Amino acid sequence: MSVQLQKSQPLELTKQYLTAIFVNPIRYIARNRAGFVGCCVLTFLLLLSFIGPYLVPLDTQARIDKIYSPPSWDHPLGTDSEGKDVLSQIVNGGRDVLIVAFLSGLITTLIAAPLGAISAFFGGKVDALITTVADIVLTIPQIPLLLVIAAVIRFNNVYMLAFILGITSWPGLLRAVRSQVLSIKEKDYVEAARLLDLGTGHIIFREILPNMMGYVAIAFILATTAAVYAQVGLILFGLVPLSGHNWGVMINLAWVRGAIFFKDSIWYIMAPVTAIVLFQWSMVTFTRSLEEIFNPSLRSGD
Amino acid sequence: MQPIIELKQVTKSFNKGGGFLGGAKQRVDVLRNISLGIKPGEVLCLVGESGCGKTTTGKIVAGLLPPTTGEVLYNGQNLASLDKGQFTKYRRAVQMIHQDPYASLNPTHTIYQTLSAPLFRHKLVKSNKEAVSAVSELLNTVDLTPVGDFIEKYPHQLSGGQRQRVVIARSLTLNPKLIIADEAVSMLDVSIRLSVIGLLRRLQQETQVAFLFITHDLAMAKYFGQGGQIAVMYLGEMVEAGPTEKIIGKPMHPYTQALLKAIPEPDPRITRAKEPVNLRSLDIPDLTSLPSGCTFHPRCPVFIQGLCEKTAPPLVQQPDGRMVACYRYEANRNAAKAGQSAS
Amino acid sequence: MRESAAVTPATKPDIRPLLRVENLNVQYRTRRGPVKSVRDVSFELLPRENLAVIGESGSGKSTLGLALTRLLPRSAQFTAGKMEYWGDTGRLNLAEASKEALRRWRWQEVAIVFQAALSAFNPVLTISDQFMDTAKAHGHRDQAKIRQRALELLELVQLDPKRVLDAYPHELSGGMRQRVLIALALILNPKILILDEPTTALDILTQRIIIDLLRKLKEDLDLSMIFISHDLSLAAELADRVATMYAGEFVEFGSVEETFYQPKHPYTAGLIHGVPRVNAELENLTSIPGSPPDLIDLPTGCKFHERCPHARKMCRTQVPVKETVGHPGSGHIVSCLRWREIKHAANH
């Protein structure tokens, strides 16, 4: 008695792939209401920051007569200390911050996840070595370290900033990944894979890793949010050259120029703060939906 | 006939505690002297309560844990001395069914992926088509039909009993010679245990695969071990071993007798008329502070003062063929005396 | 020391019951739809009577235990025609009592003992702390008195009081933990003890200790007990009456003798003939095919028909009603359309 798996005609296959990539994730994300909202806000912010600038070009026109003007039809978020439109600055200010954040999160995850997995899987001396190195790096306080690095290297390049942030934040993530792998390693299905002699490669990549994807994805998101804070912190300390008009620079300028002391200028400082907070919130809330996608056993009613 | 797997005077100890600031480092002797052999096609039930070491024995037979001392032989050869090719053969020959059907299947793999992985890995199939056919046959063997209903499902979509059948199917993929079933049905509902055990029995009879059946349920052991052997373990040692019907019908070791008296039975008249168990102590000793001599002596209703707490009785063959470790029997006293005079 | 084989008669109409439940229904709200965990359950519990509810996973038995003590979570919808308790202070309508009244009633009149997994305990509290907490929660604050009572109770359940009182849960074995939970339940001298899987996952010798202990407690303390378990042997040892629960309802209810020797429902018969036993011959064993039903998506007609060896076409469409076996007032009730015709295999 033979059983057909799936029809293998190209059209069927394409339909299946498209569904898997686009429709299914949306369906799963939608399962968790909070996660869905988070996803929508995140998508909106991403579109705003990457597509927005083409639609709302940066306003570089200084208008002395319009300093700190309140929101109006022309300037929905008011103007800054030079009369420049705040909204356009918000739209154009996200891109650099987000690129650094995602890139840094990616670097952190790419270092921490494999190292954590290797450390947990092989144990013994390998584990001891890796965790010792991680502990040493972990004890170095990040902001002072960044201060010192900033004195030596110029952070005038987003990629440089992302790289530095990335390589200083991996130890925490490594420990988390390591403990997760340790617990998966003990599971009966991993033991069964050993008994069936499926091989170390199979065990790492086909047994353990798929069960960690959700965990790693969430770790990536958290690393990204941490990078946003680190960035803004650096900018507020004035360690990053204040070129460009990204959200962090906006906060710095607004603060320095006393925007919190005037009723009308409150928009100037709150706008970037709100943007950053919204981004962080949407990322973290979105992780609730990720659990649905990556953990098949949590999907009810299939 | 040479046994598939043989354990010769195996002991297993773990180190507990200890640390840099010196807490006492304790050695826990989980297995203290286990010798057994499983011949091709044979069924050996390992029964005992928690802490007796039966699961550890199963893992040692499966090669997942090395013994601390003693030998583990596969087809007469020590496991430690097998080369890569021979070890692969051993791995294929000995498989395990775990207790928890919810933890023994990878939740991110479909049933097809779980069952076809070993087939592909060991080159038992060459194409997807062959794999589908082989997997379908396996699902048929474990009564998961119609096959189409199961092959593409994920484990969380199946019931506990169905998952356990998949686990059984997986253990059959490499045509093993010995299957270790570690409490294979204790996490399943009562009404389906019998059908799963029945499936294992049928497989055993049809394919003549040997079984090491580990359980704390004596009634299950009696059912599955019909015509086979049973060994009773207590605190890391075997206290009685022999043909199932003989041991269960007429137990000789006081611990086995206590177990059979203690078992609650699903029959009101019989169970309420059972003799009370008269153990001298209710609680089981800790593995880190074992009693001297025969480890059962503090609880034994018939212990012999001056003998049982001094030295441990050896596991000796009795006139009817079974093995018992108890000084109440002449064979054991003679063996102990002979051992003393020899030393 | 063991009870004689004769068991108490099913109902005594002249004795006032301790607990009367009529048409108890519990549903949980979930995304996929309502989970009908308990459907139309009715029974009476007399003083000094042991009732066993036998069911498997998916039968709703644990929900029943929580419903009886009114400990259901908020997502559960609970309705009952009647749920009454008669204590020394008169009648208490459990279905409509205030939170305060229920709090007083719980532990003082009815206590529940859960399965003694480690998770039943707070791992950072000693056993003594657990006693103090429980007593305090029910308005007792005299620490010396509580400690004295705890020592008494631990001795009653055959534990070494000094050793156990100052221990942490993880230092005790499963059997010891189960006995501690029983002792905790007895602090305020309840009249009814509800035990959820008291012997599951315990070793044979430990099970024997618990069973003998429960038997002794019933005698010495004048208790009624409700056992909720999948273990038939527990019912055989201790029950006066047995209810078989399937898909949320009692499909059979009778004395322990009737249940084990003259079962009228195919599920009961299937359970009894599907459990291997040490003392008896093995030829009569038959297994029940299939698996327990989804409580959200129940089958039509008789809920057991898909697995029943005696099912006919009508079983798929008609819902069985509760019928009395033998003379009216016998107390032996069954929900099966064909119970009169089916002759179940004899039990030795």
Side-chain angles (χ1 to χ4, degrees):
Chain A
M1 174 172 92
S2 78
V3 167
Q4 294 283 56
L5 277 181
Q6 297 138 326
K7 303 191 212 134
S8 12
Q9 295 108 335
L11 189 61
E12 253 329 296
L13 264 177
T14 318
K15 233 175 37 176
Q16 270 163 23
Y17 275 123
L18 283 177
T19 317
I21 296 176
F22 291 108
V23 177
N24 281 343
I26 296 180
R27 211 187 290 154
Y28 290 129
I29 293 174
R31 283 256 176 81
N32 187 312
R33 250 172 282 168
F36 185 60
V37 173
C39 181
C40 290
V41 173
L42 182 62
T43 314
F44 166 70
L45 288 173
L46 289 174
L47 286 174
L48 185 77
S49 302
F50 289 98
I51 313 266
Y54 297 107
L55 304 170
V56 183
L58 188 61
D59 176 14
T60 48
Q61 177 78 40
R63 298 183 200 84
I64 306 183
D65 58 315
K66 280 217 184 134
I67 289 179
Y68 289 147
S69 61
S72 63
W73 198 245
D74 279 334
H75 304 285
L77 288 177
T79 57
D80 69 356
S81 57
E82 290 170 16
K84 296 187 197 155
D85 177 44
V86 170
L87 178 63
S88 68
Q89 290 182 44
I90 289 288
V91 170
N92 284 274
R95 191 178 44 204
D96 286 353
V97 174
L98 296 188
I99 288 180
V100 171
F102 281 118
L103 210 54
S104 161
L106 193 66
I107 294 174
T108 302
T109 310
L110 284 178
I111 299 178
L115 275 187
I118 291 173
S119 186
F121 187 78
F122 290 104
K125 295 212 184 79
V126 173
D127 186 20
L129 179 66
I130 295 181
T131 47
T132 311
V133 172
D135 284 342
I136 293 174
V137 179
L138 194 58
T139 52
I140 303 174
Q142 197 190 30
I143 298 286
L145 173 67
L146 290 169
L147 287 174
V148 170
I149 295 179
V152 182
I153 302 176
R154 306 226 80 223
F155 282 139
N156 49 7
N157 182 336
V158 284
Y159 302 107
M160 176 62 80
L161 183 58
F163 177 70
I164 300 292
L165 284 178
I167 62 172
T168 51
S169 356
W170 59 267
L173 191 55
L174 178 134
R175 296 207 134 256
V177 169
R178 176 178 171 277
S179 71
Q180 180 76 345
V181 174
L182 277 178
S183 81
I184 296 179
K185 204 174 77 146
E186 298 306 314
K187 298 247 166 179
D188 286 346
Y189 58 81
V190 173
E191 191 171 271
R194 278 173 68 194
L195 286 171
L196 289 164
D197 205 23
L198 293 178
T200 309
H202 171 106
I203 291 180
I204 296 182
F205 290 106
R206 298 235 58 219
E207 301 286 343
I208 296 182
L209 210 54
N211 281 291
M212 285 182 49
M213 288 317 297
Y215 196 77
V216 172
I218 292 172
F220 165 70
I221 287 187
L222 294 178
T224 305
T225 54
V228 169
Y229 283 131
Q231 252 191 95
V232 174
L234 281 178
I235 293 174
L236 278 177
F237 277 125
L239 293 173
V240 177
L242 302 180
S243 58
H245 278 83
N246 66 53
W247 295 337
V249 173
M250 286 176 73
I251 298 179
N252 182 313
L253 288 178
W255 180 261
V256 159
R257 289 172 191 178
I260 61 164
F261 295 116
F262 301 107
K263 194 175 63 154
D264 294 334
S265 61
I266 206 79
W267 298 91
Y268 180 34
I269 193 164
M270 285 314 292
V273 170
T274 311
I276 290 179
V277 166
L278 262 185
F279 175 72
Q280 304 287 65
W281 174 87
S282 67
M283 288 282 271
V284 171
T285 317
F286 177 54
T287 61
R288 294 202 212 176
S289 285
L290 286 187
E291 268 283 293
E292 293 267 355
I293 297 182
F294 285 113
N295 198 338
S297 56
L298 289 183
R299 297 181 204 154
S300 44
D302 263 351
Chain B
M1 223 188 326
Q2 185 172 66
I4 305 172
I5 288 281
E6 221 182 322
L7 262 55
K8 283 195 170 156
Q9 289 167 326
V10 161
T11 71
K12 182 68 186 167
S13 307
F14 290 105
N15 284 319
K16 208 171 72 155
F20 279 130
L21 301 180
K25 213 171 189 181
Q26 273 180 329
R27 204 185 70 182
V28 185
D29 297 318
V30 177
L31 293 180
R32 293 180 297 115
N33 187 356
I34 301 291
S35 301
L36 59 85
I38 307 171
K39 300 201 188 70
E42 187 177 54
V43 170
L44 172 62
C45 294
L46 214 53
V47 297
E49 301 181 293
S50 46
C52 72
K54 52 192 196 303
T55 298
T56 310
T57 307
K59 292 204 184 206
I60 289 182
V61 169
L64 292 166
L65 285 176
T68 304
T69 66
E71 293 184 291
V72 182
L73 306 177
Y74 169 64
N75 279 336
Q77 267 191 299
N78 193 321
L79 277 190
S81 67
L82 292 179
D83 65 38
K84 197 154 184 289
Q86 292 167 322
F87 193 78
T88 309
K89 279 219 195 95
Y90 158 71
R91 264 289 133 83
R92 289 176 61 162
V94 177
Q95 288 300 315
M96 196 159 177
I97 298 171
H98 292 90
Q99 176 179 23
D100 186 351
Y102 294 92
S104 34
L105 293 176
N106 191 325
T108 58
H109 292 176
T110 61
I111 304 303
Y112 171 71
Q113 289 170 319
T114 299
L115 292 178
S116 60
L119 295 173
F120 279 115
R121 167 78 181 180
H122 293 269
K123 304 205 175 45
L124 294 168
V125 296
K126 289 192 224 72
S127 66
N128 264 323
K129 198 153 152 250
E130 274 181 42
V132 172
S133 161
V135 168
S136 303
E137 211 184 298
L138 280 168
L139 289 175
N140 256 310
T141 311
V142 296
D143 297 329
L144 283 177
T145 53
V147 171
D149 279 357
F150 294 100
I151 202 164
E152 288 278 277
K153 289 234 159 77
Y154 285 94
H156 71 277
Q157 296 170 290
L158 303 182
S159 71
Q162 291 167 331
R163 292 172 82 138
Q164 202 65 324
R165 285 171 193 265
V166 173
V167 171
I168 294 173
R170 178 176 64 188
S171 72
L172 295 172
T173 49
L174 303 181
N175 295 313
K177 305 263 181 328
L178 166 65
I179 294 183
I180 304 163
D182 189 355
E183 302 278 12
V185 291
S186 38
M187 290 187 74
L188 299 179
D189 280 328
V190 181
S191 64
I192 36 180
R193 281 184 200 177
L194 191 68
S195 55
V196 174
I197 293 281
L199 167 65
L200 287 177
R201 278 199 75 206
R202 211 186 68 219
L203 288 171
Q204 199 277 320
Q205 283 157 355
E206 282 173 13
T207 63
Q208 282 299 300
V209 64
F211 265 89
L212 178 63
F213 189 76
I214 301 174
T215 182
H216 67 272
D217 185 345
L218 274 178
M220 234 8 124
K222 177 182 175 182
Y223 179 63
F224 189 75
Q226 292 171 68
Q229 306 280 316
I230 192 171
V232 181
M233 287 180 69
Y234 183 72
L235 290 180
E237 280 180 322
M238 279 208 278
V239 297
E240 187 161 4
T244 309
E245 285 83 6
K246 213 183 269 191
I247 308 287
I248 304 240
K250 208 165 161 293
M252 281 173 75
H253 192 282
Y255 177 63
T256 319
Q257 291 170 341
L259 284 182
L260 284 163
K261 276 193 210 153
I263 288 187
E265 310 227 28
D267 184 321
R269 286 185 202 135
I270 289 180
T271 207
R272 296 184 195 202
K274 279 180 101 161
E275 257 183 77
V277 177
N278 51 351
L279 290 180
R280 297 188 307 136
S281 155
L282 284 182
D283 294 304
I284 198 162
D286 200 345
L287 277 173
T288 51
S289 52
L290 289 171
S292 58
C294 170
T295 48
F296 189 59
H297 86 257
R299 311 172 77 190
C300 185
V302 292
F303 108 109
I304 304 170
Q305 181 94 37
L307 181 58
C308 296
E309 79 272 26
K310 293 256 167 62
T311 53
L315 191 66
V316 169
Q317 187 164 44
Q318 305 295 315
D320 69 351
R322 72 172 90 182
M323 310 287 282
V324 179
C326 180
Y327 281 132
R328 304 234 21 120
Y329 300 103
E330 216 185 311
N332 297 77
R333 292 195 293 272
N334 292 343
K337 261 187 245 151
Q340 272 175 344
S341 55
S343 59
Chain C
M1 266 299 302
R2 297 281 172 101
E3 260 182 43
S4 68
V7 290
T8 52
T11 51
K12 303 180 187 133
D14 43 333
I15 297 188
R16 195 184 58 191
L18 273 181
L19 190 65
R20 175 181 285 150
V21 176
E22 269 175 40
N23 305 112
L24 177 60
N25 277 282
V26 180
Q27 275 188 1
Y28 290 102
R29 283 185 300 257
T30 69
R31 214 158 32 189
R32 272 176 58 213
V35 179
K36 308 175 198 70
S37 277
V38 177
R39 300 182 306 116
D40 219 28
V41 164
S42 307
F43 67 93
E44 278 180 4
L45 182 70
L46 297 174
R48 305 194 93 209
E49 179 182 50
N50 281 353
L51 169 63
V53 177
I54 301 295
E56 303 178 279
S57 61
S59 64
K61 60 181 166 57
S62 294
T63 306
L64 180 62
L66 292 176
L68 291 176
T69 43
R70 305 270 353 242
L71 285 173
L72 288 169
R74 256 184 295 202
S75 60
Q77 287 162 304
F78 160 96
T79 54
K82 247 197 211 156
M83 203 161 112
E84 299 174 326
Y85 172 78
W86 275 275
D88 294 329
T89 49
R91 192 187 84 121
L92 178 64
N93 185 335
L94 294 170
E96 286 163 23
S98 67
K99 262 205 197 143
E100 202 30 59
L102 283 175
R103 253 175 37 100
R104 266 179 282 128
W105 167 77
R106 231 178 267 123
W107 233 255
Q108 197 137 339
E109 310 286 333
V110 175
I112 185 161
V113 177
F114 292 106
Q115 190 177 350
L118 260 178
S119 51
F121 291 87
N122 186 330
V124 299
L125 294 181
T126 62
I127 302 301
S128 169
D129 294 333
Q130 316 256 17
F131 271 96
M132 294 292 169
D133 274 2
T134 312
K136 241 196 277 176
H138 292 274
H140 299 258
R141 287 172 195 281
D142 186 339
Q143 286 215 355
K145 249 207 209 147
I146 296 174
R147 188 173 172 89
Q148 185 56 35
R149 178 102 179 107
L151 289 171
E152 272 169 27
L153 288 170
L154 289 176
E155 269 213 51
L156 189 65
V157 298
Q158 295 173 326
L159 285 171
D160 177 0
K162 299 273 166 50
R163 177 176 158 212
V164 170
L165 212 50
D166 297 320
Y168 285 94
H170 66 270
E171 293 172 339
L172 305 176
S173 69
M176 296 168 98
R177 291 197 296 267
Q178 190 70 71
R179 282 178 270 169
V180 167
L181 283 180
I182 294 175
L184 274 170
L186 295 173
I187 285 185
L188 300 176
N189 283 317
K191 296 234 174 26
I192 302 179
L193 209 56
I194 301 182
L195 299 108
D196 192 339
E197 303 282 9
T199 54
T200 304
L202 294 178
D203 290 324
I204 294 176
L205 291 176
T206 318
Q207 284 190 23
R208 174 52 55 196
I209 295 173
I210 302 288
I211 290 176
D212 287 347
L213 172 67
L214 289 173
R215 187 175 279 127
K216 182 164 156 304
L217 286 176
K218 179 184 165 210
E219 291 301 309
D220 293 351
L221 297 180
D222 198 13
L223 280 172
S224 290
M225 296 190 205
I226 302 181
F227 304 102
I228 301 176
S229 177
H230 64 256
D231 190 355
L232 281 173
S233 313
L234 185 66
E237 286 272 353
L238 293 172
D240 299 310
R241 306 190 67 210
V242 180
T244 324
M245 197 164 178
Y246 190 80
E249 54 186 348
F250 282 4
V251 294
E252 185 159 4
F253 193 11
S255 74
V256 66
E257 289 252 345
E258 286 160 347
T259 304
F260 279 91
Y261 301 121
Q262 287 146 25
K264 292 291 177 225
H265 194 283
Y267 179 59
T268 315
L271 281 181
I272 291 172
H273 294 289
V275 178
R277 47 189 79 176
V278 175
N279 72 307
E281 292 321 307
L282 299 160
E283 305 94 38
N284 291 356
L285 289 176
T286 49
S287 53
I288 307 180
S291 12
D294 183 351
L295 291 173
I296 296 179
D297 195 15
L298 287 166
T300 55
C302 169
K303 308 293 172 265
F304 187 62
H305 80 258
E306 287 168 352
R307 306 173 72 188
C308 183
H310 305 281
R312 296 277 186 272
K313 237 172 79 177
M314 64 172 168
C315 301
R316 209 175 348 125
T317 50
Q318 269 184 55
V319 176
V321 287
K322 297 194 184 118
E323 301 180 51
T324 308
V325 177
H327 63 274
S330 76
H332 187 176
I333 301 184
V334 66
S335 292
C336 175
L337 294 167
R338 300 192 58 223
W339 72 266
R340 286 186 178 80
E341 302 129 46
I342 306 172
K343 195 167 185 312
H344 295 282
N347 199 15
H348 357 248

